[in-house]
């Protein structure tokens, strides 16, 4: 028991040390959620394959100012060496066909790396969208149950809604099905797209 108490005290002390720099204006739940999101992102980065890490590294580098400065220096040195004024015979005279070919190949490879990184980001965004949808549906389900419980309590103690308020006719206690919402969005979108065509025919 003494060892157990010492270990538990040690864990509590370690947890307090980790949380001593937390923002006091934020609740513990928010702090915990922030840490969880960071842990998930780090785990996703660790689970990437070698090819994916190379693509991310190349995309990050190609989108930096260092990449821009390196190319400025490279182009200036290349053009200077091919002017013949530094004692070196031009190996790629104007219009710099070799430089154009190298830059074109570089652009192709960089575009490929960017597309790979975008696919990875799109996959991660899809997972986050699924998580957000699941959380939203779970929240809607729980709120519906809470409203049903409140209506039962209201009926039990004999409280009636104000007829002038919108709560009297609100369908807040109905379970919202995502497939019904998507179908209604598509229906209204098709109707909105057909409306301009119909108005043009009338004119």
């Amino acid at each position: 028991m003494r060892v157990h108490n010492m270990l538990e005290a040690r864990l509590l002390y370690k947890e307090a040390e980790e949380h001593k720099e937390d923002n006091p204006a934020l609740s513990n739940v928010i702090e915990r959620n922030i840490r969880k999101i960071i842990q998930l992102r780090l785990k996703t980065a660790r689970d990437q394959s070698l090819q994916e890490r190379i693509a991310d590294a190349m995309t990050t580098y190609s989108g930096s100012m260092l990449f821009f400065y390196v190319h400025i220096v490279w182009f200036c040195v290349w053009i200077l060496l091919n002017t013949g004024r530094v004692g070196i015979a031009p190996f790629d005279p104007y219009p710099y066909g070799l430089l154009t070919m190298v830059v074109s190949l570089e652009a192709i490879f960089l575009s490929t790396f960017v597309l790979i990184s975008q696919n990875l980001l799109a996959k991660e965004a899809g997972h986050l969208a699924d998580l957000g949808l699941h959380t939203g549906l779970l929240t809607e389900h729980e709120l519906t149950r809470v409203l049903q419980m409140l209506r039962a309590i209201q009926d039990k103690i004999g409280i009636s809604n104000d007829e002038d308020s919108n709560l009297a006719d609100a369908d807040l206690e109905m379970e919202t099905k995502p497939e019904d919402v998507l179908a209604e969005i598509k229906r209204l979108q098709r109707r909105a797209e057909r409306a301009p065509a119909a108005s043009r025919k009338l004119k």
Side-chain angles (χ1 to χ4, degrees), residues 14-27:
K14 184 178 179 181
E15 184 177 359
E17 285 291 322
E18 292 176 353
H19 295 277
K20 67 179 181 180
E21 296 182 358
D22 290 351
N23 190 344
L26 300 178
S27 65

Side-chain angles (χ1 to χ4, degrees), residues 150-151 154-155 158-170 173:
L150 290 176
R151 175 57 64 88
Q154 181 181 5
D155 295 338
I159 299 177
S160 59
N161 289 325
D162 186 6
E163 297 297 332
D164 296 332
S165 67
N166 294 329
L167 295 176
D169 299 327
E173 299 177 32

